[in-house]
Amino acid sequence: MRRNYLLLLALLPYGASAQTKKWTETKTGTIALVTNKGGQSLGYSTVSGVKILTVDGLAFKDLNKNGKLDKYEDWRLPVDVRAKDLASKMSVEQIAGLMLYSRHQMIPSIPVGPFAGTYNGKKLEESGANPYDLSDQQKQFLANDNVRHVLVTSVQSPEVAARWSNNVQAFVEGIGMGIPANNSSDPRHGTVANAEFNAGAGGNISMWPGSLGMAATFDPSVTQNFGHIAAREYRALGLATALSPQVDIATDPRWNRVSGTFGEDPQLAADMARAYIDGFQTSTGAKEIANGWGYNSVNAMVKHWPGGGAGEGGRDAHYGFGKYAVYPGNNFNEAMIPFTQGAFKLSGKTGMAAAVMPYYTISFNQDTKNHENVANNYNKYIITDLLRNKYHYDGVVCTDWLVTGDETVINSFLSGKSWGMEKATVAERHYKILMAGVDQFGGNNDMVPVLDAYKMGVIEHGEQFMRARFEQSAVRLLRGSFRTGLFENPYLDVETTKKTVGNPEFMRAGYEAQLKSIVMLKNKSNVLPLPTGKTVYVPKKFTPAGKNFLGMPTPEKLEYPVNIETVKKYFKVTDNPDEADYALVFISSPIGHGGYSEDDAKSGGNGYLPISLQYEKYTAETARDTSIAGGDPLEKFTNRSYKGKSETSTNVTDMAMVNDTYAKMKGKPVIVSVNLKNPMAFAEIEKQANAIIADFDVQGQASLDIITGKAEPSALLPLQMPLDMKVVEAQYEDVPHDMKCYTDSEGHTYDFGYGLNWKGIIKDSRTAKYSKAAAKP
């Protein structure tokens, strides 16, 4: 009998015992769920080859299929112990793959364009594949390049997203060390302007105001609630990392990424960043694993270190013509406040943002140690001396997308963005970034240049040094998957996903936040709120033909700028202004050309134009004679001045629509609703409007609820509105709150922190706190 008992013990997996098993297992299709009594639940694919080990009566996944319990497989151990164990076992090739962050993935892949994909060599509709199957390209980078961080953009539906995520996890669980995929997303909770809200209807995902709208509430609790809800929806979609929040302070009002920020005030941005990340990263109750992390947690990648809002002339560094950030106000340090006082000092137990993304820009002449003018991703002073050493940040640092690619043209969104390193090889760029202290390469599916960089490091520093450097990044990267429970159970229940994403409770919370984000700027003679049932004239909006950010042509349009069927639920609608009691005019802030013109360059100019915040033609008579920064291998000059050149906004017809409607209404009230992407010069339209409300990307219905008094406006301006373009030219790119603001016909100044409710100018605890902080000495 004893001999049989010893034989039985010998046959048990390493560390197992004959004691009572403390786990149970159920299976649904090819996914098995293991429930440990008093421990973590496990999920695995029955076709991946993974087996369950029983140790001390508890179940563990044998991810590397070696028949024994390794430390990284033991969910009882601390995250860093597990991460260091796994990193030590990984090959250089596996770590190189972990350092990659995939290019944009659409689910399912589309057949044409820069993000195209195939299924068994065919287009999806010709292949017989399901929309949630892996594309050929995805299988390639997951299996051959060891990619484990995947950027997901559009998804056909929550159900398709969940099924695709399960397929990805089953695929990677069956290869190598069984490391799960840490899928991610850029912000995806934006609104559909013409979508109707009702309390009982869900959607593909809850809809919230943009980041500027969150800032306009001046209430971090709204932002934290968003993060909490958004994280639950992310996890239900199979997403465990958010490439957000964007906390750059909008110090230059012309920058085309202002709408993604929390405004121009560093303290407000810091408070919003802290709330956003606490909401995303914190799990509670049964969902918490340890230290605030768990199955409702989403790793937040805060961006863009050390602040990207100071591009010269307001130009953006996605393009070679906007590669330089400048600091004429000597205010480099203030841009870091949302990171150092917000993202790195959370109120919740997770402590600080899991990851940081530097911006594309060259922070011109700010490297006081090595005096290098290279992009932040390459700059050792910016990454190691400041971020790592001064501010003690030991999370993941991931480059922005395509920073190691070759620059091919100076004005393409899809061109490489290796600013300051354009003449280096792709491998040399990877090596420079690694040595600067960065862990991960955004938008790169190919591990070859990472391996080449490793070889360079071995030649310069030796094998031991480079192996340790790789393992250091591997540990940082693996934490994000261990903390969020992906090693234990990365699988989704599709029915739960469908019930979670965009459910009525979440949709209601998002809609209420939209209402809190709308600013009332003007209300002459208390014309608002309008009585429902009256007759309104809503002019159609003309949008000229143009190009989107990828350079693809867009057709001209003439259409209602708001869902007219929704308007009819509030008012009678007429096309004849003479019959109307009121006019409702929906416009957008001025839209420019980004500060560069290929036609100007071809005709002998330097290509640089002003970025205008007014609709009508603007000539930059007071711009700098000589730019602060300049120089690019594709240019034969360094002076990027646009002085004396002109710009007319592409949507100048929006101004014409306001003025035309004002004339047609013959003194009857004109209500203007403006969608603000940037600050704007209100002088062109303000006097033609009896009332003005401003939104930062909301459903049109939310604007109608404010206009009719179903909700009272409570939001405040998170940005200054300039008096005119001369003050825009005079302000410093790196300094907030440094413009003279516009004062309207009612004597109200459209400054940071200004807003109206039904009683008049809002003065409360929010304005006391933030307006005082913004006041200049």
Side-chain angles (χ1 to χ4, degrees):
M1 178 70 78
R2 177 170 172 79
R3 182 182 174 193
N4 290 338
Y5 178 73
L6 292 174
L7 180 61
L8 176 63
L9 285 179
L11 292 173
L12 289 171
Y14 174 80
S17 68
Q19 66 186 52
T20 304
K21 189 172 73 170
K22 301 175 184 176
W23 57 271
T24 58
E25 181 176 86
T26 58
K27 294 180 181 178
T28 303
T30 59
I31 297 174
L33 181 64
V34 175
T35 303
N36 276 301
K37 186 177 180 180
Q40 293 298 320
S41 295
L42 312 178
Y44 71 99
S45 169
T46 57
V47 298
S48 69
V50 164
K51 304 297 182 185
I52 294 297
L53 302 172
T54 302
V55 179
D56 299 330
L58 298 170
F60 302 86
K61 292 161 68 172
D62 184 13
L63 290 166
N64 61 1
K65 309 171 188 67
N66 66 353
K68 67 177 184 178
L69 181 63
D70 294 287
K71 288 182 180 179
Y72 86 90
E73 297 164 336
D74 189 343
W75 43 260
R76 298 169 300 183
L77 296 175
V79 163
D80 272 20
V81 172
R82 300 177 71 186
K84 289 175 182 177
D85 178 64
L86 178 51
S88 71
K89 291 175 166 62
M90 295 173 71
S91 67
V92 170
E93 290 77 12
Q94 287 170 331
I95 296 177
L98 198 65
M99 289 177 163
L100 302 177
Y101 221 123
S102 84
R103 299 194 71 185
H104 299 65
Q105 301 299 307
M106 305 174 80
I107 314 301
S109 295
I110 55 176
V112 295
F115 309 120
T118 56
Y119 298 81
N120 295 320
K122 300 177 181 179
K123 297 178 182 178
L124 176 66
E125 59 269 21
E126 299 170 354
S127 67
N130 296 306
Y132 45 79
D133 289 340
L134 303 190
S135 70
D136 300 332
Q137 292 74 21
Q138 289 161 1
K139 291 177 183 177
Q140 160 71 31
F141 66 64
L142 291 169
N144 296 350
D145 291 290
N146 299 309
V147 172
R148 292 297 180 272
H149 292 82
V150 182
L151 173 57
V152 177
T153 54
S154 62
V155 296
Q156 189 178 92
S157 69
E159 179 180 355
V160 166
R163 293 186 184 277
W164 178 85
S165 178
N166 285 347
N167 286 336
V168 170
Q169 299 297 1
F171 184 85
V172 297
E173 189 176 74
I175 56 179
M177 309 294 285
I179 299 171
N182 186 338
N183 302 324
S184 70
S185 174
D186 279 309
R188 59 188 316 114
H189 281 82
T191 59
V192 178
N194 64 359
E196 185 174 358
F197 170 82
N198 68 73
N204 281 337
I205 201 163
S206 61
M207 290 190 278
W208 297 72
S211 294
L212 275 180
M214 297 285 188
T217 70
F218 277 58
D219 183 355
S221 70
V222 173
T223 302
Q224 185 161 341
N225 188 43
F226 161 71
H228 174 66
I229 289 174
R232 290 167 67 182
E233 292 184 306
Y234 269 47
R235 292 305 299 266
L237 292 167
L239 305 168
T241 293
L243 302 188
S244 58
Q246 184 191 337
V247 304
D248 314 84
I249 51 174
T251 47
D252 192 288
R254 299 165 291 188
W255 188 36
N256 70 5
R257 301 197 70 178
V258 164
S259 63
T261 73
F262 290 124
E264 69 180 293
D265 184 68
Q267 193 56 58
L268 179 61
D271 291 346
M272 289 293 173
R274 186 184 312 109
Y276 186 109
I277 298 166
D278 273 333
F280 263 94
Q281 291 190 170
T282 304
S283 290
T284 58
K287 293 293 185 179
E288 182 179 2
I289 297 172
N291 304 315
W293 291 100
Y295 292 102
N296 277 344
S297 297
V298 172
N299 299 288
M301 184 180 291
V302 62
K303 57 190 185 184
H304 303 89
W305 179 260
E312 184 163 20
R315 297 185 295 272
D316 183 59
H318 277 94
Y319 311 89
F321 60 75
K323 68 202 292 184
Y324 294 102
V326 295
Y327 302 88
N330 195 30
N331 202 38
F332 176 69
N333 291 332
E334 193 170 18
M336 292 184 276
I337 287 175
F339 296 90
T340 60
Q341 296 183 25
F344 302 163
K345 289 186 178 179
L346 303 182
S347 299
K349 291 194 287 185
T350 63
M352 62 174 58
V356 170
M357 182 188 294
Y359 202 43
Y360 295 113
T361 46
I362 295 171
S363 296
F364 190 66
N365 286 350
Q366 298 307 303
D367 180 350
T368 58
K369 183 176 182 180
N370 305 308
H371 305 288
E372 279 194 298
N373 276 315
V374 293
N376 297 315
N377 300 278
Y378 292 95
N379 194 302
K380 189 172 183 179
Y381 172 75
I382 297 289
I383 304 301
T384 293
D385 294 307
L386 288 182
L387 180 60
R388 297 286 192 203
N389 296 340
K390 183 174 181 179
Y391 296 111
H392 310 294
Y393 184 77
D394 191 39
V396 170
V397 177
C398 176
T399 74
D400 214 326
W401 265 231
L402 300 181
V403 302
T404 56
D406 291 327
E407 181 187 23
T408 52
V409 291
I410 202 162
N411 62 337
S412 171
F413 184 87
L414 294 175
S415 181
K417 309 167 202 311
S418 50
W419 311 144
M421 294 292 293
E422 296 93 342
K423 296 181 180 179
T425 66
V426 173
E428 287 169 343
R429 293 172 194 153
H430 281 76
Y431 182 55
K432 175 81 168 174
I433 287 170
L434 280 173
M435 292 301 101
V438 175
D439 304 297
Q440 198 166 32
F441 303 94
N444 181 6
N445 300 348
D446 181 5
M447 72 175 178
V448 170
V450 186
L451 296 176
D452 289 342
Y454 182 85
K455 294 172 186 174
M456 291 178 183
V458 170
I459 293 172
E460 184 172 354
H461 298 287
E463 182 88 37
Q464 185 177 359
F465 175 92
M466 280 309 291
R467 175 72 203 191
R469 175 67 189 86
F470 260 44
E471 287 190 26
Q472 180 186 47
S473 285
V475 169
R476 291 170 179 154
L477 291 160
L478 289 166
R479 285 174 184 152
S481 296
F482 281 116
R483 287 167 169 167
T484 53
L486 292 177
F487 274 86
E488 277 57 73
N489 184 16
Y491 294 97
L492 303 172
D493 177 82
V494 175
E495 292 306 312
T496 300
T497 291
K498 291 194 289 187
K499 292 176 184 176
T500 301
V501 180
N503 70 45
E505 176 193 347
F506 294 172
M507 297 297 287
R508 164 60 70 185
Y511 190 73
E512 289 176 352
Q514 292 179 49
L515 294 173
K516 292 178 180 178
S517 74
I518 298 172
V519 184
M520 184 163 68
L521 297 174
K522 183 178 181 180
N523 193 19
K524 185 177 181 181
S525 302
N526 293 321
V527 64
L528 296 182
L530 300 184
T532 57
K534 293 290 187 177
T535 302
V536 298
Y537 167 61
V538 182
K540 290 184 176 179
K541 181 175 179 176
F542 174 73
T543 303
K547 294 181 179 180
N548 65 15
F549 72 98
L550 293 175
M552 301 171 66
T554 56
E556 70 174 44
K557 295 182 293 185
L558 180 64
E559 59 188 5
Y560 284 113
V562 64
N563 186 329
I564 204 67
E565 296 305 313
T566 303
V567 176
K568 289 177 181 177
K569 294 184 178 181
Y570 295 77
F571 305 104
K572 297 169 186 171
V573 177
T574 180
D575 289 330
N576 182 356
D578 291 333
E579 298 175 351
D581 299 304
Y582 306 98
L584 304 181
V585 187
F586 292 83
I587 63 173
S588 299
S589 54
I591 302 170
H593 296 89
Y596 188 85
S597 167
E598 192 172 339
D599 290 338
D600 180 81
K602 288 179 178 177
S603 62
N606 66 359
Y608 291 85
L609 297 180
I611 298 174
S612 179
L613 300 181
Q614 67 182 40
Y615 294 106
E616 286 191 304
K617 181 178 179 180
Y618 162 67
T619 301
E621 297 173 348
T622 59
R624 295 182 183 116
D625 290 309
T626 304
S627 63
I628 293 174
D632 188 279
L634 300 179
E635 295 178 337
K636 298 179 180 179
F637 54 86
T638 58
N639 185 8
R640 295 179 161 194
S641 174
Y642 49 82
K643 187 172 183 177
K645 294 183 181 179
S646 301
E647 160 85 322
T648 302
S649 291
T650 60
N651 62 332
V652 63
T653 48
D654 281 19
M655 181 192 73
M657 184 165 61
V658 174
N659 294 337
D660 180 60
T661 301
Y662 175 77
K664 288 178 177 178
M665 289 299 289
K666 302 172 183 175
K668 291 181 288 186
V670 175
I671 315 302
V672 173
S673 177
V674 55
N675 173 241
L676 285 175
K677 301 290 189 185
N678 290 79
M680 62 178 279
F682 272 92
E684 294 176 300
I685 62 147
E686 179 267 320
K687 290 182 175 60
Q688 286 73 46
N690 296 80
I692 302 173
I693 63 170
D695 74 82
F696 306 95
D697 296 333
V698 299
Q699 294 168 253
Q701 186 176 351
S703 299
L704 292 169
D705 278 349
I706 293 290
I707 288 170
T708 58
K710 285 187 72 174
E712 183 172 13
S714 61
L716 307 167
L717 281 177
L719 302 159
Q720 292 185 313
M721 298 296 131
L723 172 65
D724 53 31
M725 281 304 298
K726 284 186 178 179
V727 305
V728 173
E729 291 290 358
Q731 60 88 38
Y732 289 152
E733 284 93 336
D734 59 325
V735 178
H737 309 300
D738 65 339
M739 292 191 295
K740 184 176 182 180
C741 297
Y742 179 72
T743 299
D744 69 12
S745 61
E746 306 304 291
H748 297 155
T749 301
Y750 296 178
D751 204 345
F752 171 84
Y754 163 77
L756 298 172
N757 57 22
W758 302 140
K759 296 177 182 178
I761 295 176
I762 298 171
K763 292 189 182 298
D764 56 20
S765 59
R766 300 172 301 160
T767 58
K769 177 179 180 179
Y770 292 108
S771 295
K772 182 178 180 181
K776 293 296 175 184

